[in-house]
């Protein structure tokens, strides 16, 4: 007889699709449809359907491992934890607290991310903490804060998309990265709306579009500025909106007017008629949206690029209005919540700034420490990884695999190998874990309770569905044990609900206020949108809320007046700036950090495929997914293939200034002739991130994953 199904959420992307899990008598776990969750309405991609496969002891870690005579061997928990505590303590004593680094992941629950940030700053006393979510949407976050005063991936629910008039989707292949979300865009078109997709490749998503623009990689900024130029030239600016709800228009308009259509066509390769048609399709409906993803964001000018798309929304009155707005499609499962509560280098819980004295006082009081004892902001993710083995001697790493996922990956692999001490907590022996001195096996999504925050800002309760195998511990238990060994006996509970209660207090009054959210509410509702203060707010004075009665499930309850309903839609009354106005930020086109030249004449762009996820550490262990996507490839245009003398399936080498990767050719007309594409899920000789450029955005510190100069060679010609 089967146990009853547990409603929970998928462990992968930021959709956090709802699913039911049932433990069967034979020890397996079955996934079934959960139609009540509005984000996916029961639909799941192949990754979600096969997620329980990674729970198997056949593919996961089942015992702590310690390095002995160069080899990782099984050990007891006490031995492994003692080794980590000794390694970190020795580093602190010999080199100071900032010689200890901490690197987290966008898949950690809110409770784990919160505790990891607290552990770094209270137990280790280090400023050197960041996480792989820096590689996800940090540029969009920085641009959103500049323009709106607040960053939340989507300022509206996904369910608003089918009701708008037009969506411009910039640099996202949702059909492969978030397949269940594509239904919202299909419904948009069924309802008479239009979809414009901007991508150098004619992806499966672009094939669904009413209009596909294929700009040269790294030119999205010029494209957005050219569209804004046409909005001004054609008299499509919403002058009343600009006057009443924004500031800084004159400077932004002057910058855009320097990007006339013919100039933008030369930069981007997008024709002037296509530019004009885009403006018409975007401006004619009463409502419209711009959604960006990694394409425009993973650039050394990503913040300015997103800012240009936001300026387009503001000039046309497409922000802070019903069914209109700018949004970012967050990638990782908890990429949003993961940075809101303290594992990002410059932030404290509640999205507070680490260098804000009031924020430090508030959080220090919750933590029971002196505000002056908290370290200041540390290095961003790539800069932290680049400092390993030099300034940073020891590293505690959770839920990340930078050997595959970091830019200039071969260099980062060498930096990791140069550490005095490396400890990794993970569910599988990833390529990074294989280099560690100690590896701890930890619980997975189905074996633990915790909260996640999806791309809409919807806080969700992911419930424990099964008991973890004997000998597996949670990350919260790990940090509790390490804190005790390092002299901090209290303040690191192992119960996730107890951690969340503290998180609520720490976030109270901050931009990402979770204080009105409880496990009980999350168990009864399909998530609660932040900000959600603990008590009623005066919405006329609030910076960003529009908590309407029809969004409040408790309105019919006698206690409804004491319960904040959460905030599905931001900015409808005012923006989260001191005066309530959105800010135009003047930006201008500039080249990518590494333009093609005679030695490296082609552009490389990277991305994902539907059957694999991020560094592939988990999905590459699922047979069904490996059958669908067994390895890396190089996508190139027939003209480039002909020049190389390469046929379909032939191995080709892609070479950048940082290294060389080899993978089979995939020849297609869906990519520009001047561009090649590689997915980044695999290690070894086909590792795409061996090639990518770590040039950083000056504001977000995002590396330039999406565009670098390469040459492509036939392998036989090179090796003969």
């Amino acid at each position: 007889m089967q146990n009853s199904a547990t409603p929970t959420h998928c462990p992968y992307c930021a959709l956090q699709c709802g699913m039911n899990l049932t433990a069967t008598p034979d020890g397996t776990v079955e996934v079934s449809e959960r139609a009540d969750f509005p984000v996916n309405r029961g639909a799941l991609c192949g990754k979600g359907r096969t997620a329980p496969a990674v729970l198997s002891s056949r593919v996961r870690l089942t015992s702590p491992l310690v390095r002995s005579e160069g080899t990782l061997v099984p050990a007891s928990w006490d031995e492994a934890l003692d080794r980590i505590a000794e390694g970190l303590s020795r580093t602190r004593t010999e080199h100071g607290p900032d010689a200890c680094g901490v690197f987290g992941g966008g898949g950690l629950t809110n409770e784990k991310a919160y505790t990891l940030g607290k552990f770094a700053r209270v137990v280790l006393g280090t400023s050197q903490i960041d996480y792989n979510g820096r590689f996800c949407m940090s540029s969009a976050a920085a641009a959103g804060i500049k323009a709106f005063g607040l960053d939340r991936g989507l300022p509206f629910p996904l369910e608003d998309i089918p009701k708008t008039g037009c969506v411009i989707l910039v640099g996202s292949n949702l059909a492969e990265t978030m397949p269940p979300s594509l239904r919202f865009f299909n419904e948009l078109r069924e309802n008479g709306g239009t979809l414009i997709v901007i991508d150098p490749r004619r992806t499966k998503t672009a094939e669904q579009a009413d209009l596909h623009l294929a700009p040269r990689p790294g030119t999205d900024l010029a494209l957005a500025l050219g569209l804004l130029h046409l909005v001004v030239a054609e008299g499509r600016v919403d002058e009343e909106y600009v006057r009443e709800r924004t500031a800084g228009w004159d400077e932004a308009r002057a910058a855009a007017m320097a990007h006339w259509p013919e100039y933008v066509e030369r930069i981007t390769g997008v024709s002037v008629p296509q530019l004009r048609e885009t403006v018409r399709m975007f401006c004619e409906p009463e409502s419209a949206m711009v959604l960006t993803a990694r394409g425009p964001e993973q650039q050394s000018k990503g913040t300015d690029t997103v800012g240009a798309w936001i300026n387009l929304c503001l000039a046309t009155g497409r922000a802070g209005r019903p069914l209109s707005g700018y949004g970012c499609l967050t990638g990782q499962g908890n990429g949003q919540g993961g940075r809101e509560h303290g594992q990002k280098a410059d932030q404290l819980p509640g999205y507070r700034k680490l260098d804000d004295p009031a924020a430090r006082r508030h959080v220090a009081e919750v933590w029971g420490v002196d505000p002056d004892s908290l370290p200041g902001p540390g290095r961003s993710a790539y800069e932290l990884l680049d400092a390993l083995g030099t300034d940073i001697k020891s590293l505690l790493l959770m839920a990340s695999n930078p050997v595959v996922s970091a830019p200039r990956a071969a260099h980062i692999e060498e930096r990791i190998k140069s550490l005095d001490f490396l400890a990794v907590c993970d569910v599988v022996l990833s390529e990074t874990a294989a280099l560690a001195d100690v590896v701890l096996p930890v619980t997975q999504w189905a074996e633990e309770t915790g909260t996640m925050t999806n791309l809409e800002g919807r806080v969700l309760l992911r419930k424990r569905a099964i008991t973890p195998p004997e000998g597996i511990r949670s990350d919260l238990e790990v940090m509790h044990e390490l804190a005790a060994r390092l002299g901090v006996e209290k303040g690191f509970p192992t119960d996730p609900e107890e951690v969340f209660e503290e998180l609520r207090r720490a976030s109270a009054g901050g931009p990402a206020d979770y204080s009105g959210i409880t496990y009980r509410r999350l168990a009864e509702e399909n998530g609660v949108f932040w900000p959600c203060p603990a008590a009623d707010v005066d919405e006329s004075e609030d910076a960003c809320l529009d908590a309407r009665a029809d969004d409040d499930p408790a309105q019919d309850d006698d206690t409804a007046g004491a319960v904040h309903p959460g905030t599905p839609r931001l900015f409808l009354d005012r923006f989260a700036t001191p005066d309530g106005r959105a800010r135009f930020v003047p930006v201008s086109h500039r080249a990518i950090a590494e333009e093609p030249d005679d030695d490296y004449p082609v552009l490389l762009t990277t991305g994902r495929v539907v059957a694999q996820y991020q560094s592939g550490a988990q999905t590459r262990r699922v047979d069904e997914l490996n059958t669908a996507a067994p390895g890396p490839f190089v996508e190139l245009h027939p003209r480039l293939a002909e020049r190389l003398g390469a046929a379909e399936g032939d191995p080709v080498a892609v070479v950048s200034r940082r290294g060389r990767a080899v993978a089979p050719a995939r020849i297609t007309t869906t990519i520009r002739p001047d561009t090649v594409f590689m997915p980044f899920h695999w290690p070894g000789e086909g590792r795409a991130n061996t090639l990518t450029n770590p040039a950083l955005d000056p504001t977000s510190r995002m590396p330039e994953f999406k565009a670098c100069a390469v040459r492509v060679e036939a392998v036989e010609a090179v090796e003969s």
Side-chain angles (χ1 to χ4, degrees), residues 120-145:
R121 296 177 175 106
V122 172
V123 178
L124 297 178
T126 182
S127 66
Q128 299 304 303
I129 176 173
D130 211 78
Y131 82 127
N132 62 16
R134 175 79 68 169
F135 300 156
C136 178
M137 58 175 291
S138 57
S139 294
I145 290 170

Side-chain angles (χ1 to χ4, degrees), residues 516-552:
I517 305 173
T518 64
Y519 268 36
R520 179 178 177 180
R521 281 191 69 178
L522 294 177
E524 295 171 351
E525 304 175 30
N526 265 326
V528 177
F529 293 83
W530 72 261
C532 183
D536 276 344
V537 295
D538 180 351
E539 293 176 38
S540 65
E541 297 299 320
D542 189 85
C544 57
L545 302 188
D546 184 62
R548 297 180 172 180
D550 60 356
D551 288 322
D552 186 357

Side-chain angles (χ1 to χ4, degrees), residues 347-473:
Q347 287 178 193
L348 288 168
Y351 225 137
R352 288 182 161 90
K353 299 296 289 182
L354 189 54
D355 56 4
D356 176 1
R360 294 170 66 88
R361 285 194 300 271
H362 174 88
V363 174
E365 183 177 357
V366 173
W367 288 352
V369 300
D370 184 342
D372 292 338
S373 71
L374 298 178
R379 293 177 173 92
S380 70
Y382 180 79
E383 292 165 305
L384 189 158
L385 294 171
D386 189 41
L388 299 181
T390 55
D391 294 344
I392 299 174
K393 305 295 185 180
S394 294
L395 182 68
L396 174 63
L397 185 144
M398 288 186 172
S400 185
N401 188 18
V403 165
V404 177
S405 63
R408 197 185 174 195
H411 169 73
I412 295 304
E413 182 175 354
E414 290 304 312
R415 299 274 25 99
I416 289 172
K417 290 177 178 177
S418 72
L419 282 164
D420 292 348
F421 182 79
L422 171 65
V424 173
C425 300
D426 211 329
V427 300
V428 297
L429 190 66
S430 70
E431 287 72 22
T432 304
L435 303 177
D437 297 285
V438 181
V439 183
L440 299 182
V442 290
T443 49
Q444 298 188 51
W445 58 289
E447 302 164 347
E448 59 187 10
T449 293
T451 60
M452 305 285 279
T453 306
N454 82 343
L455 77 173
E456 306 165 297
R458 187 194 300 253
V459 184
L460 306 163
L461 183 63
R462 199 167 67 183
K463 297 180 181 179
R464 172 170 163 163
I466 60 172
T467 302
E470 185 177 353
I472 304 296
R473 299 187 185 181

